[in-house]
Amino acid sequence: TFKSVLFDGQESGNYRFVDVKDLPANDAVILLNLNSTDPVKKKVFQNKDFRIALSRAINRQEIIDLVYVGQGTPAQVAVQPEHELFNEKEATQYTEYDPAAANAELDKLMPKKDSEGFRLDETGKRFTINFMVADVFGLSYPDVMQMVQQYAKDVGIDIQIRTTDRARLNTMWSAN
């Protein structure tokens, strides 16, 4: 078989086989469309400083405590500690809840706000992020997203939540 040929060629080919475990990661993840067809949103979403500010605006520990009954650890979308490829810096960077730092960075990127305190984009319109969320596998994604919506509001970002089923979410994701 093909695997036996590869196994036999390890020494001469200067490679080796390794057992790879599943890569456990976070349950609730926010995905911004970095390829948005809206040029204004695309520019903002592709700005790393915006993504860092949004990350720092989220109180992950409070979400863990209230939604997941204290089960979990604040982390980025990264390999978790029980895996051999774990990298602490990648897993924990920008996870500290720091709305003051988030606001300071967002003030540089989007300094103007409307009468309700929401930030305006470069065209002068309220910068609104529409999130599609599905309640799948009993992981309470809509509950998490409602909390994220409030954290974002606290730093002037308008998040609108649209709930849907998993099939529609996957279809929309595939269609960009």
Side-chain angles (χ1 to χ4, degrees):
T1 68
F2 185 65
K3 186 173 181 180
S4 64
V5 171
L6 289 174
F7 185 82
D8 291 343
Q10 289 181 84
E11 189 175 327
S12 64
N14 194 25
Y15 61 86
R16 64 186 173 94
F17 283 107
V18 294
D19 291 326
V20 179
K21 300 175 191 169
D22 187 25
L23 295 174
N26 293 1
D27 286 331
V29 177
I30 294 176
L31 301 172
L32 298 173
N33 185 355
L34 301 182
N35 297 309
S36 175
T37 56
D38 178 329
V40 175
K41 282 195 168 111
K42 182 176 183 175
K43 181 178 177 183
V44 173
F45 292 162
Q46 288 185 354
N47 184 319
K48 182 179 177 183
D49 293 330
F50 173 81
R51 296 192 311 270
I52 291 170
L54 184 59
S55 183
R56 288 185 169 149
I58 298 170
N59 188 337
R60 289 168 174 81
Q61 190 60 55
E62 186 173 63
I63 291 170
I64 290 166
D65 291 344
L66 295 178
V67 178
Y68 297 108
V69 201
Q71 301 299 305
T73 303
Q76 290 291 358
V77 180
V79 176
Q80 298 301 295
E82 58 270 18
H83 194 278
E84 65 266 19
L85 297 177
F86 174 70
N87 178 305
E88 185 174 3
K89 180 183 176 192
E90 290 175 4
T92 61
Q93 65 185 350
Y94 316 122
T95 59
E96 68 281 357
Y97 175 56
D98 192 344
N103 257 317
E105 187 59 42
L106 290 168
D107 285 344
K108 291 184 222 169
L109 301 171
M110 302 170 133
K112 295 181 183 175
K113 296 181 181 178
D114 66 16
S115 61
E116 293 179 60
F118 288 107
R119 295 183 184 278
L120 304 177
D121 65 25
E122 63 186 29
T123 70
K125 295 180 184 172
R126 179 184 287 187
F127 186 76
T128 299
I129 305 173
N130 295 304
F131 276 102
M132 299 292 293
V133 63
D135 192 9
V136 293
F137 310 122
L139 293 172
S140 305
Y141 296 141
D143 297 335
V144 171
M145 202 62 226
Q146 285 181 339
M147 293 179 75
V148 169
Q149 182 181 44
Q150 183 59 53
Y151 301 136
K153 182 179 180 183
D154 292 345
V155 295
I157 300 295
D158 180 28
I159 287 181
Q160 296 299 311
I161 304 168
R162 309 283 187 265
T163 56
T164 188
D165 61 81
R166 184 175 180 206
R168 182 165 183 252
L169 185 63
N170 287 340
T171 299
M172 292 181 71
W173 185 358
S174 297
N176 194 26

